[in-house]
Amino acid sequence: MAGIGVKLERLYSKRSIVSTIAGFGYSIIFTIAPVGLVMGAVILMQILLDVSKLGYAIRQLYACTVLYVFIFAMIVQAPVNSVISRFLSDAIYDERWDDIMAAYNFGGFINVALAALVGIPFCLHEYMAGGVDIWYVFAGYACFSTLTLAFYTQLFLQALKAYQRISLYYLIGMVFAVLLSLLLHAVTTLETTFVMLISMAAGFLLIVLIEYGLLNQFFQGNSKDYKRVLAYFRKYILLVFTNLFYTLGLYAHNFVFWTTPQAIVVAKSFYCYEAYDMATCIAMFLNISATVIFTTRIELHFQGRYKDYSEATIGGRGIDIDNAKARMFTALSDELFSLVRIQFIITVVVYLFTVVILPRFGMGGTVMRIYPCMAAGYFVLFVMYAAIILMYYFNDNTGAFITAGSFLAVTIIVSVFATRLSEIWYGIGVFAGSMVGFLIGYTRLMWMERNLDWHIFCQGDIMARGEEKMPSNLIYNKEQGRLEEVSEEGA
C-alpha cells in the first residue's frame, strides 16, 4: 500500500476539481484497474464475437466456466499470497534481495500445486461426467491456472511499487487476448467459446511472462533458501487462514444458494444461480470504490501518523510516544468513519442509478429484488476489510483471524437460513456476516488502542531462548533494580 502517498498528496494538495479527479483516477489505477481490464476484455470479446447468437447451452457453459475461473483463482491464491506478502516486506526491509526470487519460486510452486489440486479433479469430472469436449476443458483449466499465476506475480510488482506497470501489463495482455480471439475466429473454424477461453489464457500467460521479466531485471540473484520461506508459513499461519476465510466469505453465500432448487446445473459440474450471482457481481463492483477511498485516505492521512508513532517508539520520551499514539488512533477512527460516510453516499447514489438504469438492460425482476440487501452487505463488507488491513499495521494477526473467521461463519449460517426467506432477504447472510465481522474488528482495534504499549514493548525475548542461562549465583534485587552475585550458601 505504501508508495503512492507522495503522488496522491501532490495531486490533492492542488485542491482543484481536476486534481481531485486525477487523484481518484490514480487510486483506481493502483487498486482495481487490473480486474476492471480483465472484465472489460471478457465483455468486449462477447460483443465482438456476437456470443448472443450462440445456443443457450453453449452460452451457459461459457458463462459458468468464466465465473468459476475467477472465483477459484481468487480462492486458491488467497492463503499463499498473504504470507508471501509478509515475507516480501521483511526481505525488502532487511535488504535480503536474493530471497525475493526464492520466495517467488516457492510461492509459485504452491500456487500451481493448489490450482492443480482443485482444478484437475474438477476438469476430469467435467469431461467424464459432463461430456464436455476435452479441448474446451483444457482451455478452461489453462485460463484458471494462468490467471492464478497472474494474480500471484502481481503481488511482487506491488512490492516494487510498480503499480502503473501492473495496469499497463494487464492492458497489454487483455488487448492481445481480444485481438487473438478476433484472429482465431476469422481464420479458423474453432468453436467461439473455445476461442475466447484460449485467448484469455494466452493473455494471462503474456501478463505473467512480462511481469516475470521485470522481476528478473530487479532481482537477478536467488538464494534458494526455501526453508526460510517455509518457516514464514509456520510462523504466520494465522495469515494463511485469515486471507482464506475472508476470500471464502466473499463467495460462500453464493455456494449456499447454488444448492437451492432455483440453481441450475451445467454439464453436471457447474452450479450457479444466475439472478443471485448477477446481483452479487453488481453489488461487489459498485461498492468497490470503498477500496479506492480507503487506499487514498490511508496514504494521505493515517500512514504519516503511523510513521510518527513508529519513530517515537525508537528512543523517544514516554510523553512523545503517548502523544503520537493518541494522534495515530484519532486518525484511525477519523479515516474509518470517513470511509463509512463517503461510501454510504456513493452507495445510495449508485443504488438509485442502478434501480432506474439496469432494468432497461434486462436486469430487472429477481436480480433487482435481491440486489438491495446484497448492496448493503457489500457496503459493510469492504468497511470490515478496511478494519482487517488496519490490524495488519499493528501486527494483530489474532484479531484479523477472529474477524475473518467470524465473518465467514456468520455468512454461511445466515445464508442457509436466508434460503427459506423471500428473495428480497437473500443477501442478509452477507450483511449479517459483514456486520458481525466489522463490529468484532472495530472492537479489536479499540482493544489494541488500550493495550498497544504491552503489544509493542512487552512481547518477544531480548535474547533467544535456550542460548543463555542466568547463573545460579545471580539474583535480581528489586530494590536496587539490578542483578547481584551471592554466595552459594545465600543462594
Side-chain angles (χ1 to χ4, degrees), residues 87-105:
F87 182 91
L88 282 176
S89 299
D90 292 348
I92 292 173
Y93 180 80
D94 295 333
E95 298 184 357
R96 293 184 281 106
W97 310 117
D98 289 347
D99 284 344
I100 302 296
M101 293 309 296
Y104 179 85
N105 292 339

Side-chain angles (χ1 to χ4, degrees), residues 463 468-476 483-486 491:
M463 62 179 65
E468 298 282 351
K469 292 185 177 180
M470 184 182 294
S472 59
N473 64 332
L474 291 179
I475 63 172
Y476 181 73
L483 292 171
E484 294 182 349
E485 185 175 0
V486 297

Side-chain angles (χ1 to χ4, degrees), residues 212-229:
Y212 184 76
L214 181 63
L215 282 178
N216 270 324
Q217 289 181 8
F218 278 91
F219 309 110
Q220 298 180 1
N222 187 343
S223 67
K224 298 184 179 180
D225 189 0
Y226 303 122
K227 290 183 179 179
R228 184 194 290 268
V229 186

